[in-house]
Amino acid sequence: MNVKLTDLFGIVRNFLFSKANKEFLIFLFFLVLSGIFWMMMTLDESYEKELSIPVHITHVPKDVVLLSGETDTIRVTVRDRGIDIVSYIYDEPKKTLNINFKNYDKGDGQGSVSANELQQMIAKLFRSSTKVLSTNPGKYVFFYNTGAHKRVPVRWSGRVIPEQLYFLSHATYSPDSVTIFASEEKLDSIKTVYTEALNCVGFRDTLSIDCRIRKTEGVKTVPEHTRVTFYTDVLTEESMDGIPVQGIHMPKGKVLRTFPAKVKVNFVTGVSVFRKLKPSDFVVIADYNELKSHPSEKCNIYLRKTPDGISRAVLTVNQVDYLIEEEEDSE
């Protein structure tokens, strides 16, 4: 075994210290040396870099709810030597800008740090040689309230289109509502919150998506995520017969009778939706006020109400014969 190791060592030694390999090792040494000099010269030049600086609101009173979140992020563009920029990249997660709530509270549910103050505060996080070129946003604004909130439903937004011949029958949400914290004025104006824009095209099976609730300035949403499940069905052209025509705006003591008394509607829907439909899900009306102002031998009828989950609903007839009768008193 010792002989074999000795022989192997001799082979390696002869290979490394042969004339050709000596020249290669010398070339490699100077190549590495020149690379080091090039890197040092490069890192000594000035560069610009955009960094992410977390912002933390401190000294928040117990009765205050921050609507912007306790931690946010500011994008900062700085200029310095390359070697310093590299050190900032590695130290970036450690840098945090702390903003004292009490010092910048402007009242009326809002606080702000001006652009000049913000740059001065950020500059203290870096070396004196570093120049802060810009911040995004230019000034920092935060919102808060003292706990006013309400529950609102969640709805999806965006582009959700199943494959051809398939139909988006309905969607469910988990959770289906969220709690929002905001000023009284905003709470009164917000009736529904929406997800960030979705883009799902060409699916045929049930599709579930975890998505964020769309952010609104000055509004905090709890929770900030929901799971939307889309259910598909096969499209089919169907019809429903036996839908009664109802008279509306009829004077007391008068009854509208139409011939036929019941009509038919054509529509497009999903197979599973169609199985649950019944004539009472549709409402067809004839308006007495229209007959009074424009008398004619026939009256117009309108499809006033259709159930959820159907589209392209049309009546097979738009006019019918009619008769207005005096209602018999029932004693």
Side-chain angles (χ1 to χ4, degrees):
M1 183 69 180
N2 291 333
V3 175
K4 290 183 179 179
L5 288 174
T6 304
D7 293 342
L8 181 61
F9 176 76
I11 293 171
V12 172
R13 183 187 59 187
N14 293 334
F15 173 78
L16 291 175
F17 291 97
S18 64
K19 184 177 180 180
N21 285 317
K22 279 183 179 179
E23 293 176 356
F24 172 74
L25 291 173
I26 292 171
F27 168 77
L28 188 61
F29 171 76
F30 283 106
L31 179 63
V32 172
L33 190 62
S34 63
I36 293 173
F37 279 117
W38 174 83
M39 183 176 293
M40 291 176 62
M41 292 176 62
T42 300
L43 292 177
D44 199 49
E45 295 180 4
S46 293
Y47 293 91
E48 293 181 8
K49 176 66 178 177
E50 185 179 72
L51 305 172
S52 296
I53 306 296
V55 179
H56 185 66
I57 308 296
T58 63
H59 301 90
V60 180
K62 291 183 179 180
D63 63 337
V64 166
V65 177
L66 287 174
L67 307 180
S68 307
E70 290 188 9
T71 303
D72 210 339
T73 302
I74 291 179
R75 306 292 295 180
V76 180
T77 302
V78 297
R79 178 190 293 154
D80 206 338
R81 294 185 309 158
I83 192 167
D84 293 319
I85 294 294
V86 171
S87 68
Y88 290 149
I89 293 173
Y90 284 103
D91 287 342
E92 187 175 2
K94 302 177 184 178
K95 294 187 182 300
T96 301
L97 180 64
N98 294 316
I99 295 178
N100 190 316
F101 177 91
K102 296 178 181 178
N103 293 343
Y104 297 97
D105 176 23
K106 306 300 182 185
D108 197 25
Q110 182 175 318
S112 66
V113 183
S114 68
N116 287 336
E117 289 177 308
L118 188 61
Q119 286 216 5
Q120 291 173 10
M121 294 170 68
I122 291 173
K124 293 178 181 179
L125 299 176
F126 299 97
R127 298 183 181 91
S128 58
S129 61
T130 304
K131 183 175 179 60
V132 178
L133 301 178
S134 65
T135 62
N136 185 16
K139 71 174 184 176
Y140 185 77
V141 179
F142 60 90
F143 300 90
Y144 67 90
N145 74 3
T146 54
H149 64 278
K150 73 175 184 180
R151 294 286 287 184
V152 292
V154 178
R155 292 294 179 266
W156 67 271
S157 66
R159 186 167 171 258
V160 180
I161 305 174
E163 279 187 12
Q164 193 174 8
L165 302 181
Y166 281 79
F167 173 70
L168 190 62
S169 59
H170 67 288
T172 60
Y173 305 84
S174 180
D176 61 0
S177 60
V178 294
T179 301
I180 59 171
F181 296 82
S183 64
E184 293 290 350
E185 182 181 356
K186 285 194 174 182
L187 286 177
D188 290 340
S189 65
I190 298 175
K191 308 300 181 186
T192 305
V193 295
Y194 293 90
T195 66
E196 293 182 343
L198 304 177
N199 186 21
C200 305
V201 179
F203 62 97
R204 62 171 64 181
D205 299 321
T206 300
L207 176 67
S208 294
I209 304 174
D210 291 315
C211 49
R212 294 180 62 88
I213 305 298
R214 186 191 305 165
K215 288 187 175 182
T216 302
E217 186 179 59
V219 178
K220 181 178 182 178
T221 305
V222 179
E224 297 181 339
H225 296 78
T226 188
R227 184 176 181 84
V228 187
T229 302
F230 297 97
Y231 296 88
T232 58
D233 202 352
V234 179
L235 278 175
T236 179
E237 292 187 7
E238 298 292 347
S239 62
M240 180 69 66
D241 207 350
I243 302 170
V245 179
Q246 304 175 22
I248 62 171
H249 303 130
M250 297 299 298
K252 187 176 181 179
K254 293 185 181 294
V255 177
L256 175 69
R257 303 193 186 280
T258 62
F259 306 94
K262 297 180 178 181
V263 293
K264 181 179 180 181
V265 61
N266 296 329
F267 51 87
V268 174
T269 189
V271 173
S272 61
V273 174
F274 176 69
R275 291 174 184 154
K276 301 175 184 177
L277 292 179
K278 51 188 181 298
S280 59
D281 294 328
F282 300 84
V283 175
V284 177
I285 59 100
D287 191 344
Y288 176 81
N289 290 338
E290 182 181 336
L291 294 173
K292 184 178 178 181
S293 57
H294 300 91
S296 64
E297 294 182 358
K298 293 182 178 290
C299 70
N300 296 321
I301 58 174
Y302 303 96
L303 185 59
R304 171 64 61 85
K305 176 188 172 184
T306 59
D308 294 334
I310 74 168
S311 61
R312 290 183 275 172
V314 292
L315 293 167
T316 55
V317 294
N318 294 316
Q319 290 186 324
V320 292
D321 295 323
Y322 72 97
L323 183 64
I324 297 177
E325 297 180 343
E326 297 290 334
E327 188 175 20
E328 296 182 1
D329 294 332
S330 56
E331 298 182 359

mmCIF file with all atom_site columns, all heavy atoms in Angstrom, residues 127-148:
data_model
loop_
_atom_site.group_PDB
_atom_site.id
_atom_site.type_symbol
_atom_site.label_atom_id
_atom_site.label_alt_id
_atom_site.label_comp_id
_atom_site.label_asym_id
_atom_site.label_entity_id
_atom_site.label_seq_id
_atom_site.pdbx_PDB_ins_code
_atom_site.Cartn_x
_atom_site.Cartn_y
_atom_site.Cartn_z
_atom_site.occupancy
_atom_site.B_iso_or_equiv
_atom_site.pdbx_formal_charge
_atom_site.auth_seq_id
_atom_site.auth_comp_id
_atom_site.auth_asym_id
_atom_site.auth_atom_id
_atom_site.pdbx_PDB_model_num
ATOM 1   N N   . ARG A 1 127 ? -23.060 54.979 5.882  1.00 0.00 ? 127 ARG A N   1
ATOM 2   C CA  . ARG A 1 127 ? -21.790 55.661 6.150  1.00 0.00 ? 127 ARG A CA  1
ATOM 3   C C   . ARG A 1 127 ? -21.867 57.104 5.642  1.00 0.00 ? 127 ARG A C   1
ATOM 4   O O   . ARG A 1 127 ? -22.658 57.425 4.757  1.00 0.00 ? 127 ARG A O   1
ATOM 5   C CB  . ARG A 1 127 ? -20.637 54.914 5.476  1.00 0.00 ? 127 ARG A CB  1
ATOM 6   C CG  . ARG A 1 127 ? -20.446 53.488 5.984  1.00 0.00 ? 127 ARG A CG  1
ATOM 7   C CD  . ARG A 1 127 ? -19.247 52.834 5.316  1.00 0.00 ? 127 ARG A CD  1
ATOM 8   N NE  . ARG A 1 127 ? -19.075 51.465 5.779  1.00 0.00 ? 127 ARG A NE  1
ATOM 9   C CZ  . ARG A 1 127 ? -19.623 50.413 5.193  1.00 0.00 ? 127 ARG A CZ  1
ATOM 10  N NH1 . ARG A 1 127 ? -20.350 50.581 4.105  1.00 0.00 ? 127 ARG A NH1 1
ATOM 11  N NH2 . ARG A 1 127 ? -19.417 49.196 5.676  1.00 0.00 ? 127 ARG A NH2 1
ATOM 12  N N   . SER A 1 128 ? -20.988 57.939 6.164  1.00 0.00 ? 128 SER A N   1
ATOM 13  C CA  . SER A 1 128 ? -20.985 59.357 5.784  1.00 0.00 ? 128 SER A CA  1
ATOM 14  C C   . SER A 1 128 ? -20.641 59.548 4.306  1.00 0.00 ? 128 SER A C   1
ATOM 15  O O   . SER A 1 128 ? -21.023 60.553 3.703  1.00 0.00 ? 128 SER A O   1
ATOM 16  C CB  . SER A 1 128 ? -19.994 60.135 6.662  1.00 0.00 ? 128 SER A CB  1
ATOM 17  O OG  . SER A 1 128 ? -18.682 59.583 6.529  1.00 0.00 ? 128 SER A OG  1
ATOM 18  N N   . SER A 1 129 ? -19.911 58.592 3.727  1.00 0.00 ? 129 SER A N   1
ATOM 19  C CA  . SER A 1 129 ? -19.534 58.704 2.312  1.00 0.00 ? 129 SER A CA  1
ATOM 20  C C   . SER A 1 129 ? -20.687 58.373 1.368  1.00 0.00 ? 129 SER A C   1
ATOM 21  O O   . SER A 1 129 ? -20.626 58.669 0.174  1.00 0.00 ? 129 SER A O   1
ATOM 22  C CB  . SER A 1 129 ? -18.356 57.770 2.009  1.00 0.00 ? 129 SER A CB  1
ATOM 23  O OG  . SER A 1 129 ? -18.722 56.412 2.252  1.00 0.00 ? 129 SER A OG  1
ATOM 24  N N   . THR A 1 130 ? -21.737 57.780 1.885  1.00 0.00 ? 130 THR A N   1
ATOM 25  C CA  . THR A 1 130 ? -22.864 57.339 1.053  1.00 0.00 ? 130 THR A CA  1
ATOM 26  C C   . THR A 1 130 ? -23.831 58.491 0.817  1.00 0.00 ? 130 THR A C   1
ATOM 27  O O   . THR A 1 130 ? -24.227 59.189 1.757  1.00 0.00 ? 130 THR A O   1
ATOM 28  C CB  . THR A 1 130 ? -23.611 56.175 1.717  1.00 0.00 ? 130 THR A CB  1
ATOM 29  O OG1 . THR A 1 130 ? -22.688 55.114 1.984  1.00 0.00 ? 130 THR A OG1 1
ATOM 30  C CG2 . THR A 1 130 ? -24.715 55.662 0.808  1.00 0.00 ? 130 THR A CG2 1
ATOM 31  N N   . LYS A 1 131 ? -24.221 58.678 -0.429 1.00 0.00 ? 131 LYS A N   1
ATOM 32  C CA  . LYS A 1 131 ? -25.173 59.737 -0.787 1.00 0.00 ? 131 LYS A CA  1
ATOM 33  C C   . LYS A 1 131 ? -26.531 59.105 -1.077 1.00 0.00 ? 131 LYS A C   1
ATOM 34  O O   . LYS A 1 131 ? -26.640 58.197 -1.917 1.00 0.00 ? 131 LYS A O   1
ATOM 35  C CB  . LYS A 1 131 ? -24.685 60.508 -2.011 1.00 0.00 ? 131 LYS A CB  1
ATOM 36  C CG  . LYS A 1 131 ? -25.599 61.669 -2.401 1.00 0.00 ? 131 LYS A CG  1
ATOM 37  C CD  . LYS A 1 131 ? -25.010 62.471 -3.528 1.00 0.00 ? 131 LYS A CD  1
ATOM 38  C CE  . LYS A 1 131 ? -25.929 63.625 -3.939 1.00 0.00 ? 131 LYS A CE  1
ATOM 39  N NZ  . LYS A 1 131 ? -26.179 64.566 -2.831 1.00 0.00 ? 131 LYS A NZ  1
ATOM 40  N N   . VAL A 1 132 ? -27.562 59.565 -0.383 1.00 0.00 ? 132 VAL A N   1
ATOM 41  C CA  . VAL A 1 132 ? -28.928 59.100 -0.623 1.00 0.00 ? 132 VAL A CA  1
ATOM 42  C C   . VAL A 1 132 ? -29.508 59.927 -1.768 1.00 0.00 ? 132 VAL A C   1
ATOM 43  O O   . VAL A 1 132 ? -29.722 61.134 -1.638 1.00 0.00 ? 132 VAL A O   1
ATOM 44  C CB  . VAL A 1 132 ? -29.804 59.236 0.639  1.00 0.00 ? 132 VAL A CB  1
ATOM 45  C CG1 . VAL A 1 132 ? -31.233 58.789 0.349  1.00 0.00 ? 132 VAL A CG1 1
ATOM 46  C CG2 . VAL A 1 132 ? -29.213 58.421 1.788  1.00 0.00 ? 132 VAL A CG2 1
ATOM 47  N N   . LEU A 1 133 ? -29.735 59.286 -2.912 1.00 0.00 ? 133 LEU A N   1
ATOM 48  C CA  . LEU A 1 133 ? -30.196 60.003 -4.107 1.00 0.00 ? 133 LEU A CA  1
ATOM 49  C C   . LEU A 1 133 ? -31.707 60.207 -4.117 1.00 0.00 ? 133 LEU A C   1
ATOM 50  O O   . LEU A 1 133 ? -32.198 61.268 -4.503 1.00 0.00 ? 133 LEU A O   1
ATOM 51  C CB  . LEU A 1 133 ? -29.763 59.237 -5.361 1.00 0.00 ? 133 LEU A CB  1
ATOM 52  C CG  . LEU A 1 133 ? -28.250 59.009 -5.521 1.00 0.00 ? 133 LEU A CG  1
ATOM 53  C CD1 . LEU A 1 133 ? -27.969 58.199 -6.784 1.00 0.00 ? 133 LEU A CD1 1
ATOM 54  C CD2 . LEU A 1 133 ? -27.516 60.350 -5.573 1.00 0.00 ? 133 LEU A CD2 1
ATOM 55  N N   . SER A 1 134 ? -32.459 59.189 -3.706 1.00 0.00 ? 134 SER A N   1
ATOM 56  C CA  . SER A 1 134 ? -33.923 59.308 -3.752 1.00 0.00 ? 134 SER A CA  1
ATOM 57  C C   . SER A 1 134 ? -34.547 58.256 -2.849 1.00 0.00 ? 134 SER A C   1
ATOM 58  O O   . SER A 1 134 ? -33.919 57.255 -2.501 1.00 0.00 ? 134 SER A O   1
ATOM 59  C CB  . SER A 1 134 ? -34.444 59.130 -5.185 1.00 0.00 ? 134 SER A CB  1
ATOM 60  O OG  . SER A 1 134 ? -34.185 57.807 -5.654 1.00 0.00 ? 134 SER A OG  1
ATOM 61  N N   . THR A 1 135 ? -35.795 58.526 -2.481 1.00 0.00 ? 135 THR A N   1
ATOM 62  C CA  . THR A 1 135 ? -36.578 57.552 -1.723 1.00 0.00 ? 135 THR A CA  1
ATOM 63  C C   . THR A 1 135 ? -37.922 57.385 -2.404 1.00 0.00 ? 135 THR A C   1
ATOM 64  O O   . THR A 1 135 ? -38.448 58.327 -3.003 1.00 0.00 ? 135 THR A O   1
ATOM 65  C CB  . THR A 1 135 ? -36.806 58.016 -0.271 1.00 0.00 ? 135 THR A CB  1
ATOM 66  O OG1 . THR A 1 135 ? -37.558 59.245 -0.278 1.00 0.00 ? 135 THR A OG1 1
ATOM 67  C CG2 . THR A 1 135 ? -35.492 58.229 0.449  1.00 0.00 ? 135 THR A CG2 1
ATOM 68  N N   . ASN A 1 136 ? -38.455 56.195 -2.341 1.00 0.00 ? 136 ASN A N   1
ATOM 69  C CA  . ASN A 1 136 ? -39.770 55.915 -2.925 1.00 0.00 ? 136 ASN A CA  1
ATOM 70  C C   . ASN A 1 136 ? -40.593 55.146 -1.894 1.00 0.00 ? 136 ASN A C   1
ATOM 71  O O   . ASN A 1 136 ? -40.254 54.019 -1.569 1.00 0.00 ? 136 ASN A O   1
ATOM 72  C CB  . ASN A 1 136 ? -39.620 55.097 -4.199 1.00 0.00 ? 136 ASN A CB  1
ATOM 73  C CG  . ASN A 1 136 ? -40.946 54.878 -4.910 1.00 0.00 ? 136 ASN A CG  1
ATOM 74  O OD1 . ASN A 1 136 ? -41.926 55.568 -4.635 1.00 0.00 ? 136 ASN A OD1 1
ATOM 75  N ND2 . ASN A 1 136 ? -40.988 53.898 -5.800 1.00 0.00 ? 136 ASN A ND2 1
ATOM 76  N N   . PRO A 1 137 ? -41.627 55.776 -1.328 1.00 0.00 ? 137 PRO A N   1
ATOM 77  C CA  . PRO A 1 137 ? -42.200 57.085 -1.672 1.00 0.00 ? 137 PRO A CA  1
ATOM 78  C C   . PRO A 1 137 ? -41.325 58.248 -1.198 1.00 0.00 ? 137 PRO A C   1
ATOM 79  O O   . PRO A 1 137 ? -40.457 58.066 -0.350 1.00 0.00 ? 137 PRO A O   1
ATOM 80  C CB  . PRO A 1 137 ? -43.536 57.081 -0.927 1.00 0.00 ? 137 PRO A CB  1
ATOM 81  C CG  . PRO A 1 137 ? -43.290 56.186 0.244  1.00 0.00 ? 137 PRO A CG  1
ATOM 82  C CD  . PRO A 1 137 ? -42.370 55.107 -0.242 1.00 0.00 ? 137 PRO A CD  1
ATOM 83  N N   . GLY A 1 138 ? -41.595 59.439 -1.777 1.00 0.00 ? 138 GLY A N   1
ATOM 84  C CA  . GLY A 1 138 ? -40.807 60.614 -1.433 1.00 0.00 ? 138 GLY A CA  1
ATOM 85  C C   . GLY A 1 138 ? -40.975 61.005 0.023  1.00 0.00 ? 138 GLY A C   1
ATOM 86  O O   . GLY A 1 138 ? -40.014 61.343 0.698  1.00 0.00 ? 138 GLY A O   1
ATOM 87  N N   . LYS A 1 139 ? -42.213 60.965 0.525  1.00 0.00 ? 139 LYS A N   1
ATOM 88  C CA  . LYS A 1 139 ? -42.445 61.177 1.947  1.00 0.00 ? 139 LYS A CA  1
ATOM 89  C C   . LYS A 1 139 ? -43.248 59.991 2.466  1.00 0.00 ? 139 LYS A C   1
ATOM 90  O O   . LYS A 1 139 ? -43.941 59.315 1.696  1.00 0.00 ? 139 LYS A O   1
ATOM 91  C CB  . LYS A 1 139 ? -43.189 62.493 2.207  1.00 0.00 ? 139 LYS A CB  1
ATOM 92  C CG  . LYS A 1 139 ? -44.652 62.508 1.794  1.00 0.00 ? 139 LYS A CG  1
ATOM 93  C CD  . LYS A 1 139 ? -45.295 63.807 2.247  1.00 0.00 ? 139 LYS A CD  1
ATOM 94  C CE  . LYS A 1 139 ? -46.794 63.808 1.927  1.00 0.00 ? 139 LYS A CE  1
ATOM 95  N NZ  . LYS A 1 139 ? -47.460 65.013 2.444  1.00 0.00 ? 139 LYS A NZ  1
ATOM 96  N N   . TYR A 1 140 ? -43.134 59.739 3.760  1.00 0.00 ? 140 TYR A N   1
ATOM 97  C CA  . TYR A 1 140 ? -43.786 58.560 4.329  1.00 0.00 ? 140 TYR A CA  1
ATOM 98  C C   . TYR A 1 140 ? -45.059 58.978 5.048  1.00 0.00 ? 140 TYR A C   1
ATOM 99  O O   . TYR A 1 140 ? -45.047 59.883 5.893  1.00 0.00 ? 140 TYR A O   1
ATOM 100 C CB  . TYR A 1 140 ? -42.847 57.846 5.295  1.00 0.00 ? 140 TYR A CB  1
ATOM 101 C CG  . TYR A 1 140 ? -43.426 56.557 5.810  1.00 0.00 ? 140 TYR A CG  1
ATOM 102 C CD1 . TYR A 1 140 ? -43.451 55.413 5.013  1.00 0.00 ? 140 TYR A CD1 1
ATOM 103 C CD2 . TYR A 1 140 ? -43.971 56.479 7.086  1.00 0.00 ? 140 TYR A CD2 1
ATOM 104 C CE1 . TYR A 1 140 ? -43.992 54.233 5.484  1.00 0.00 ? 140 TYR A CE1 1
ATOM 105 C CE2 . TYR A 1 140 ? -44.520 55.306 7.564  1.00 0.00 ? 140 TYR A CE2 1
ATOM 106 C CZ  . TYR A 1 140 ? -44.523 54.184 6.755  1.00 0.00 ? 140 TYR A CZ  1
ATOM 107 O OH  . TYR A 1 140 ? -45.072 53.013 7.212  1.00 0.00 ? 140 TYR A OH  1
ATOM 108 N N   . VAL A 1 141 ? -46.172 58.332 4.707  1.00 0.00 ? 141 VAL A N   1
ATOM 109 C CA  . VAL A 1 141 ? -47.472 58.641 5.308  1.00 0.00 ? 141 VAL A CA  1
ATOM 110 C C   . VAL A 1 141 ? -48.033 57.361 5.924  1.00 0.00 ? 141 VAL A C   1
ATOM 111 O O   . VAL A 1 141 ? -47.980 56.301 5.295  1.00 0.00 ? 141 VAL A O   1
ATOM 112 C CB  . VAL A 1 141 ? -48.458 59.191 4.262  1.00 0.00 ? 141 VAL A CB  1
ATOM 113 C CG1 . VAL A 1 141 ? -49.814 59.490 4.910  1.00 0.00 ? 141 VAL A CG1 1
ATOM 114 C CG2 . VAL A 1 141 ? -47.903 60.446 3.604  1.00 0.00 ? 141 VAL A CG2 1
ATOM 115 N N   . PHE A 1 142 ? -48.535 57.449 7.133  1.00 0.00 ? 142 PHE A N   1
ATOM 116 C CA  . PHE A 1 142 ? -49.207 56.297 7.744  1.00 0.00 ? 142 PHE A CA  1
ATOM 117 C C   . PHE A 1 142 ? -50.585 56.713 8.257  1.00 0.00 ? 142 PHE A C   1
ATOM 118 O O   . PHE A 1 142 ? -50.837 57.878 8.565  1.00 0.00 ? 142 PHE A O   1
ATOM 119 C CB  . PHE A 1 142 ? -48.355 55.686 8.875  1.00 0.00 ? 142 PHE A CB  1
ATOM 120 C CG  . PHE A 1 142 ? -48.034 56.619 10.004 1.00 0.00 ? 142 PHE A CG  1
ATOM 121 C CD1 . PHE A 1 142 ? -48.870 56.715 11.107 1.00 0.00 ? 142 PHE A CD1 1
ATOM 122 C CD2 . PHE A 1 142 ? -46.870 57.388 9.981  1.00 0.00 ? 142 PHE A CD2 1
ATOM 123 C CE1 . PHE A 1 142 ? -48.562 57.569 12.158 1.00 0.00 ? 142 PHE A CE1 1
ATOM 124 C CE2 . PHE A 1 142 ? -46.549 58.234 11.036 1.00 0.00 ? 142 PHE A CE2 1
ATOM 125 C CZ  . PHE A 1 142 ? -47.407 58.332 12.121 1.00 0.00 ? 142 PHE A CZ  1
ATOM 126 N N   . PHE A 1 143 ? -51.482 55.727 8.304  1.00 0.00 ? 143 PHE A N   1
ATOM 127 C CA  . PHE A 1 143 ? -52.867 55.967 8.708  1.00 0.00 ? 143 PHE A CA  1
ATOM 128 C C   . PHE A 1 143 ? -53.192 55.111 9.924  1.00 0.00 ? 143 PHE A C   1
ATOM 129 O O   . PHE A 1 143 ? -52.628 54.030 10.117 1.00 0.00 ? 143 PHE A O   1
ATOM 130 C CB  . PHE A 1 143 ? -53.834 55.635 7.570  1.00 0.00 ? 143 PHE A CB  1
ATOM 131 C CG  . PHE A 1 143 ? -53.604 56.443 6.313  1.00 0.00 ? 143 PHE A CG  1
ATOM 132 C CD1 . PHE A 1 143 ? -52.733 55.986 5.331  1.00 0.00 ? 143 PHE A CD1 1
ATOM 133 C CD2 . PHE A 1 143 ? -54.255 57.645 6.127  1.00 0.00 ? 143 PHE A CD2 1
ATOM 134 C CE1 . PHE A 1 143 ? -52.510 56.725 4.179  1.00 0.00 ? 143 PHE A CE1 1
ATOM 135 C CE2 . PHE A 1 143 ? -54.042 58.396 4.981  1.00 0.00 ? 143 PHE A CE2 1
ATOM 136 C CZ  . PHE A 1 143 ? -53.164 57.933 4.009  1.00 0.00 ? 143 PHE A CZ  1
ATOM 137 N N   . TYR A 1 144 ? -54.145 55.591 10.721 1.00 0.00 ? 144 TYR A N   1
ATOM 138 C CA  . TYR A 1 144 ? -54.544 54.836 11.905 1.00 0.00 ? 144 TYR A CA  1
ATOM 139 C C   . TYR A 1 144 ? -55.963 55.223 12.307 1.00 0.00 ? 144 TYR A C   1
ATOM 140 O O   . TYR A 1 144 ? -56.527 56.215 11.826 1.00 0.00 ? 144 TYR A O   1
ATOM 141 C CB  . TYR A 1 144 ? -53.574 55.115 13.065 1.00 0.00 ? 144 TYR A CB  1
ATOM 142 C CG  . TYR A 1 144 ? -53.632 56.534 13.588 1.00 0.00 ? 144 TYR A CG  1
ATOM 143 C CD1 . TYR A 1 144 ? -54.508 56.885 14.618 1.00 0.00 ? 144 TYR A CD1 1
ATOM 144 C CD2 . TYR A 1 144 ? -52.820 57.536 13.053 1.00 0.00 ? 144 TYR A CD2 1
ATOM 145 C CE1 . TYR A 1 144 ? -54.565 58.189 15.094 1.00 0.00 ? 144 TYR A CE1 1
ATOM 146 C CE2 . TYR A 1 144 ? -52.876 58.830 13.526 1.00 0.00 ? 144 TYR A CE2 1
ATOM 147 C CZ  . TYR A 1 144 ? -53.755 59.147 14.550 1.00 0.00 ? 144 TYR A CZ  1
ATOM 148 O OH  . TYR A 1 144 ? -53.823 60.438 15.017 1.00 0.00 ? 144 TYR A OH  1
ATOM 149 N N   . ASN A 1 145 ? -56.566 54.415 13.155 1.00 0.00 ? 145 ASN A N   1
ATOM 150 C CA  . ASN A 1 145 ? -57.818 54.805 13.811 1.00 0.00 ? 145 ASN A CA  1
ATOM 151 C C   . ASN A 1 145 ? -57.833 54.190 15.202 1.00 0.00 ? 145 ASN A C   1
ATOM 152 O O   . ASN A 1 145 ? -56.883 53.527 15.616 1.00 0.00 ? 145 ASN A O   1
ATOM 153 C CB  . ASN A 1 145 ? -59.047 54.418 12.977 1.00 0.00 ? 145 ASN A CB  1
ATOM 154 C CG  . ASN A 1 145 ? -59.338 52.926 13.004 1.00 0.00 ? 145 ASN A CG  1
ATOM 155 O OD1 . ASN A 1 145 ? -58.669 52.147 13.688 1.00 0.00 ? 145 ASN A OD1 1
ATOM 156 N ND2 . ASN A 1 145 ? -60.333 52.509 12.257 1.00 0.00 ? 145 ASN A ND2 1
ATOM 157 N N   . THR A 1 146 ? -58.895 54.423 15.902 1.00 0.00 ? 146 THR A N   1
ATOM 158 C CA  . THR A 1 146 ? -58.971 53.942 17.288 1.00 0.00 ? 146 THR A CA  1
ATOM 159 C C   . THR A 1 146 ? -59.836 52.694 17.403 1.00 0.00 ? 146 THR A C   1
ATOM 160 O O   . THR A 1 146 ? -60.423 52.432 18.445 1.00 0.00 ? 146 THR A O   1
ATOM 161 C CB  . THR A 1 146 ? -59.515 55.044 18.197 1.00 0.00 ? 146 THR A CB  1
ATOM 162 O OG1 . THR A 1 146 ? -60.767 55.521 17.672 1.00 0.00 ? 146 THR A OG1 1
ATOM 163 C CG2 . THR A 1 146 ? -58.543 56.202 18.309 1.00 0.00 ? 146 THR A CG2 1
ATOM 164 N N   . GLY A 1 147 ? -59.919 51.933 16.297 1.00 0.00 ? 147 GLY A N   1
ATOM 165 C CA  . GLY A 1 147 ? -60.597 50.629 16.354 1.00 0.00 ? 147 GLY A CA  1
ATOM 166 C C   . GLY A 1 147 ? -61.889 50.530 15.582 1.00 0.00 ? 147 GLY A C   1
ATOM 167 O O   . GLY A 1 147 ? -62.533 49.468 15.589 1.00 0.00 ? 147 GLY A O   1
ATOM 168 N N   . ALA A 1 148 ? -62.331 51.612 14.910 1.00 0.00 ? 148 ALA A N   1
ATOM 169 C CA  . ALA A 1 148 ? -63.569 51.537 14.132 1.00 0.00 ? 148 ALA A CA  1
ATOM 170 C C   . ALA A 1 148 ? -63.407 50.513 13.012 1.00 0.00 ? 148 ALA A C   1
ATOM 171 O O   . ALA A 1 148 ? -62.435 50.535 12.267 1.00 0.00 ? 148 ALA A O   1
ATOM 172 C CB  . ALA A 1 148 ? -63.906 52.908 13.545 1.00 0.00 ? 148 ALA A CB  1
#
